[in-house]
């Protein structure tokens, strides 16, 4: 019996119940959406030295790092051809110059304590941007409560990457609430329903033969996965790369087509001694146009003798979000199965914690908190 079919061993290895948490994603997605539906966007929030006025945004910036930024990428891919204003996912301390009072800035931090996000959040306040936060608490939660800023609170006690549905689902709802894009709620519901159907087939009890996630994990085992997405699957490729890093503890990279046909493809001409260490995972959509279909075919042919393995994941479902989540869900669970197949702990995050701990000594999060507190109305 392959290790991944030994349910008892899997459950033992999964000390923190990550498999169960991921299998509950359909509910988490609906819950995240509900939390945003319940949010009341104020007309104005008073602060020392000038108010924030909530209205029609002329741009949207989603601020966050790592697992908390991933939902922003998904939102961009979900809405790029319908969003009437520029939208950007920002993973850094300082905000771009265009961010001002007409910008909707959504600060996403699962812990609420990430220094880059707190610095950017304090800058958004100073510029009187329309700030909304999504967090389980931390400093971000406290500041929002004190300043009476709109806050979507999500359940705590998870690792940020496990909380993606909670962190993502409020975003489409906010886009609707701010009058930017319609018809997204329905897609969130459809994606949750599709994941619900898929969950049974991806569970640990389902053997490798019938379990797409276990199969993918075994396909990628022993290689460095390079994930290729196109169109609205770009964000999915990026997220899966992160999950292979964070859960499976393997190096992993992503890129998009057609862009990789113009540079990265030459890298695969290198010595097989190197290229054979990688596998290529292509994310596919049945609705991809003829140009992309051809590009994938040609690219696969060029890579065929160079990489350890070529694997494809095909999207299912009708709406765009269903298609995105249908691939995402298989890949997310595959990243857990890959961790178990490798004998590593998907829950641990030693290196991320080490960097955060050392950086904390610079006191940037504290400075950002103090800057925000100076804006408290007297
Ligand atoms: O997945 C993770 O744990 C990380 O990528 C975190 O999301 C990242 O470090 C930011 O932390 P937070 O999500 O708490 O803001």
């Amino acid at each position: 019996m392959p290790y991944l079919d030994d349910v008892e061993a899997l459950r033992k290895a999964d000390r923190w119940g990550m498999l169960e948490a991921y299998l509950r994603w359909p509910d988490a997605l609906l819950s995240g959406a509900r939390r945003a539906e319940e949010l009341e966007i104020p007309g104005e929030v008073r602060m020392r030295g000038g108010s924030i006025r909530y209205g029609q945004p002329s741009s949207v910036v989603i601020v966050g790092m790592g697992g908390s930024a991933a939902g922003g990428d998904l939102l961009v891919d979900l809405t790029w051809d319908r969003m009437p204003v520029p939208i950007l996912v920002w993973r850094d301390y300082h905000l771009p110059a265009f961010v001002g009072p007409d910008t909707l800035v959504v600060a996403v931090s699962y812990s609420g304590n990430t220094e880059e996000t707190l610095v950017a959040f304090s800058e958004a306040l100073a510029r009187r941007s329309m700030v909304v936060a999504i967090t389980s608490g931390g400093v971000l939660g406290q500041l929002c409560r004190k300043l009476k800023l709109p806050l979507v609170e999500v359940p705590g006690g998870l690792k940020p990457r496990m909380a993606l549905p909670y962190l993502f689902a409020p975003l489409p709802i906010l886009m609707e609430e701010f009058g930017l894009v319609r018809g997204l709620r329905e897609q969130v519901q459809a994606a949750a329903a599709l994941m619900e159907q898929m969950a049974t087939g991806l569970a640990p009890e389902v053997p490798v033969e019938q379990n797409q996630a276990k199969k993918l994990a075994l396909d990628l085992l022993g290689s460095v996965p390079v994930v290729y997405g196109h169109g609205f699957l770009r964000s999915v490729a990026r997220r899966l790369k992160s999950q292979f890093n964070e859960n499976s503890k393997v190096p992993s990279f992503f890129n998009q087509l057609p862009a990789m046909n113009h540079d990265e493809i030459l890298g695969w001409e290198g010595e097989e001694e190197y290229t054979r260490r990688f596998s290529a995972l292509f994310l596919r959509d049945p609705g991809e146009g003829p140009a992309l279909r051809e590009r994938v075919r040609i690219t696969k042919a060029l890579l065929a003798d160079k990489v350890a393995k070529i694997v494809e994941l095909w999207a299912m479902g009708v709406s765009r979000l269903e298609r995105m989540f249908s691939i995402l869900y298989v890949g997310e669970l595959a990243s857990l199965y890959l961790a178990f197949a490798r004998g590593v702990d998907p829950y641990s995050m030693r290196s991320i914690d080490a960097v955060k701990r050392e950086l904390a000594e610079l006191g940037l999060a504290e400075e950002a908190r103090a800057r925000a507190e100076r804006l408290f109305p007297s």
Side-chain angles (χ1 to χ4, degrees):
M1 176 169 63
Y3 172 74
L4 288 185
D5 286 347
D6 184 342
V7 180
E8 210 174 301
L10 277 184
R11 296 256 180 236
K12 211 159 147 208
D14 186 17
R15 288 185 299 149
W16 307 98
M18 288 185 85
L19 282 167
E20 281 314 311
Y22 278 80
L23 291 170
R24 284 197 298 272
W25 268 26
D27 286 342
L29 195 66
L30 294 176
S31 163
R34 251 189 330 266
R35 286 159 196 265
E37 310 257 9
E38 285 160 10
L39 186 70
E40 278 194 29
I41 312 283
E44 182 182 359
V45 169
R46 283 176 196 278
M47 288 193 301
R48 199 182 278 255
S51 303
I52 295 179
R53 291 200 170 74
Y54 289 83
Q56 184 78 26
S58 64
S59 53
V60 179
V61 177
I62 316 286
V63 177
M65 302 303 298
S68 289
D73 293 332
L74 296 177
L75 178 74
V76 171
D77 276 354
L78 175 65
T79 59
W80 70 271
D81 50 351
R82 292 170 61 206
M83 180 65 74
V85 299
I87 175 167
L88 195 67
V89 180
W90 198 251
R91 297 170 157 89
D92 213 331
Y93 291 95
H94 300 292
L95 292 172
F98 73 82
V99 172
D102 294 337
T103 310
L104 169 61
V105 174
V106 188
V108 189
S109 169
Y110 183 70
S111 62
N113 293 324
T114 298
E115 63 174 41
E116 296 94 321
T117 315
L118 288 172
V119 171
F121 169 81
S122 70
E123 283 191 5
L125 291 183
R127 297 188 202 179
R128 306 294 185 258
S129 303
M130 296 176 240
V131 175
V132 179
I134 304 173
T135 182
S136 71
V139 173
L140 186 60
Q142 286 165 15
L143 289 170
C144 286
R145 272 189 295 274
K146 284 191 186 152
L147 279 165
K148 300 197 174 20
L149 289 164
L151 164 67
V152 181
E153 270 200 274
V154 302
L158 301 169
K159 292 289 179 198
R161 53 192 176 276
M162 299 157 74
L164 179 70
Y166 288 114
L167 300 173
F168 161 71
L171 295 172
I173 306 300
L174 287 174
M175 297 308 111
E176 292 209 11
E177 294 297 319
F178 278 89
L180 292 167
V181 188
R182 305 244 157 263
L184 299 178
R185 282 179 169 83
E186 296 75 6
Q187 292 204 45
V188 172
Q189 272 155 11
L194 180 62
M195 278 200 291
E196 180 84 57
Q197 284 171 28
M198 292 174 67
T200 340
L202 303 174
E205 292 73 22
V206 180
V208 171
E209 292 299 288
Q210 289 111 48
N211 190 320
Q212 225 191 335
K214 286 186 182 178
K215 232 187 273 174
L216 177 60
L218 293 182
D219 279 339
L220 300 178
L221 184 63
S223 66
V224 174
V226 181
V227 191
Y228 290 120
H230 56 71
F232 54 79
L233 297 174
R234 285 174 294 237
S235 53
V236 179
R238 180 174 191 147
R239 165 71 182 188
L240 291 187
K241 164 249 184 276
S242 308
Q243 295 304 87
F244 295 133
N245 299 147
E246 293 190 271
N247 287 336
S248 324
K249 313 288 187 292
V250 289
S252 179
F253 304 91
F254 78 99
N255 207 336
Q256 63 187 71
L257 281 98
M260 72 77 73
N261 286 165
H262 298 271
D263 40 38
E264 185 165 306
I265 197 155
L266 295 185
W268 294 114
E269 290 182 9
E271 293 86 342
E272 278 181 35
E273 183 193 345
Y274 299 115
T275 60
R276 282 264 168 220
R277 297 177 189 181
F278 297 86
S279 53
L281 169 58
F282 288 88
L283 310 186
R284 311 286 308 265
D285 179 66
E288 66 197 18
L292 274 163
R293 202 172 317 128
E294 271 305 281
R295 280 183 188 279
V296 176
R297 185 188 64 72
I298 298 164
T299 308
K300 275 170 52 187
L302 287 168
L303 264 59
D305 297 330
K306 304 297 286 192
V307 294
K309 192 134 197 174
I310 293 182
V311 194
E312 292 192 334
L313 269 186
W314 282 87
M316 295 188 301
V318 181
S319 67
R320 184 175 293 180
L321 196 61
E322 283 173 276
R323 290 175 183 212
M324 292 166 74
F325 267 93
S326 65
I327 291 192
L328 196 64
Y329 207 29
V330 174
E332 300 270 341
L333 280 147
S335 73
L336 291 180
Y337 288 125
L338 181 54
F340 299 131
R342 287 175 27 71
V344 298
D345 178 7
Y347 194 78
S348 81
M349 35 197 299
R350 223 179 34 234
S351 307
I352 293 182
D353 290 341
V355 176
K356 286 188 180 181
R357 221 175 15 251
E358 289 203 32
L359 258 294
E361 286 169 22
L362 295 181
L364 296 176
E366 276 313 305
E367 272 174 32
R369 179 213 279 263
R371 246 191 330 269
E373 283 176 346
R374 284 198 283 278
L375 297 171
F376 288 176
S378 42

